[in-house]
Amino acid sequence: DIQMTQSPSTLSASVGDRVTITCRASQRISTWLAWYQQKPGQAPKLLIYKASTLESGVPSRFSGSGSGTEFSLTVSSLLPDDFATYYCQEYNSYSFGQGTKLEIK
Amino acid sequence: QVQLQESGPGLVKPSQTLSLVCTVSGGPIRSHYWSWIRQPPGKGLEWIGNVFYRGNTNYNPSLKSRVTLSVDTSRDHFSLKLSSVTASDTAVYYCARDTGDALDYWGPGILVAVSS
């Protein structure tokens, strides 16, 4: 099984900040990585797939990068709607990271 | 717009089989893999498995011995059966469309509690 490790587990930030969440795979996965946003009581929402491809309708302030074992999700300028939990998922064995809760500072 | 909706019992007794159905609307079921994912209360996401419309399946190794996925193209739905449940199987269960790159459409989820 491929293990996915996200960091940090919790991130405190303010509206307007630029933030980055990282995801590390225990094995090389090329660019087979997706990022999701989940708000309380809601299903996850796809943000990015193939490590850096923005899903249709997702704001351009979200971006993804990386390949192999190291990946990142960046939000260029936080809006109030962005405070949520974010998960990465690798697409070889479908494992999810443990999640990063982005909270208001 | 593709929509998915989970349905099934919200309470299952320990040792019994959890059975859920995901109904797909707004798009063909004969086009993608279809996944199940679960999330215990207050915890992270766990992929359970996926099924293709032709019946091909892939399972999470940690659940493989207890999971059966199937698809009914005549009813535009796919199903999850999880046997020998315990309290640790209490979770919100989601179904989702699987593009091979990501899970792009999700159902709203259904909470299933395992309790006597």
Side-chain angles (χ1 to χ4, degrees):
Chain A
D1 269 10
I2 299 175
Q3 308 300 318
M4 305 301 292
T5 304
Q6 286 182 235
S7 61
S9 296
T10 305
L11 180 56
S12 297
S14 302
V15 172
D17 284 354
R18 177 185 178 91
V19 297
T20 297
I21 298 168
T22 63
C23 183
R24 176 176 295 174
S26 61
Q27 302 174 33
R28 295 183 64 83
I29 57 170
S30 184
T31 56
W32 295 110
L33 187 101
W35 288 98
Y36 303 89
Q37 176 193 67
Q38 186 180 33
K39 297 178 181 179
Q42 296 184 19
K45 172 188 174 183
L46 175 63
L47 299 176
I48 287 168
Y49 61 97
K50 288 183 182 177
S52 60
T53 303
L54 202 64
E55 172 71 347
S56 176
V58 174
S60 59
R61 64 182 181 273
F62 291 92
S63 64
S65 65
S67 66
T69 61
E70 298 282 338
F71 302 87
S72 63
L73 171 71
T74 297
V75 187
S76 60
S77 181
L78 283 171
L79 296 182
D81 190 51
D82 299 335
F83 292 94
T85 300
Y86 293 84
Y87 293 93
C88 62
Q89 182 194 24
E90 59 83 13
Y91 245 70
N92 285 276
S93 57
Y94 290 76
S95 296
F96 286 94
Q98 80 277 18
T100 295
K101 184 177 182 180
L102 177 56
E103 61 181 26
I104 299 175
K105 185 184 290 183
Chain B
Q1 177 79 348
V2 175
Q3 293 185 313
L4 296 90
Q5 180 68 54
E6 305 88 352
S7 59
L11 181 64
V12 180
K13 295 186 187 312
S15 80
Q16 293 191 341
T17 296
L18 179 159
S19 295
L20 296 175
V21 169
C22 180
T23 302
V24 180
S25 59
I29 198 169
R30 301 183 185 217
S31 61
H32 292 83
Y33 274 86
W34 303 90
S35 274
W36 288 96
I37 306 93
R38 69 179 183 177
Q39 185 171 37
K43 296 188 178 181
L45 301 166
E46 180 180 34
W47 181 76
I48 298 171
N50 64 14
V51 59
F52 194 48
Y53 77 92
R54 291 181 177 175
N56 314 62
T57 54
N58 297 287
Y59 297 126
N60 184 325
S62 68
L63 297 169
K64 186 175 183 177
S65 64
R66 298 194 293 130
V67 173
T68 302
L69 302 186
S70 60
V71 60
D72 185 339
T73 55
S74 67
R75 297 185 179 185
D76 285 332
H77 75 216
F78 58 104
S79 303
L80 162 69
K81 292 187 185 298
L82 180 65
S83 64
S84 305
V85 297
T86 68
S88 63
D89 294 310
T90 294
V92 175
Y93 286 77
Y94 296 101
C95 58
R97 191 175 79 167
D98 187 339
T99 67
D101 301 318
L103 304 170
D104 62 349
Y105 289 98
W106 294 62
I110 183 170
L111 175 61
V112 180
V114 177
S115 175
S116 56

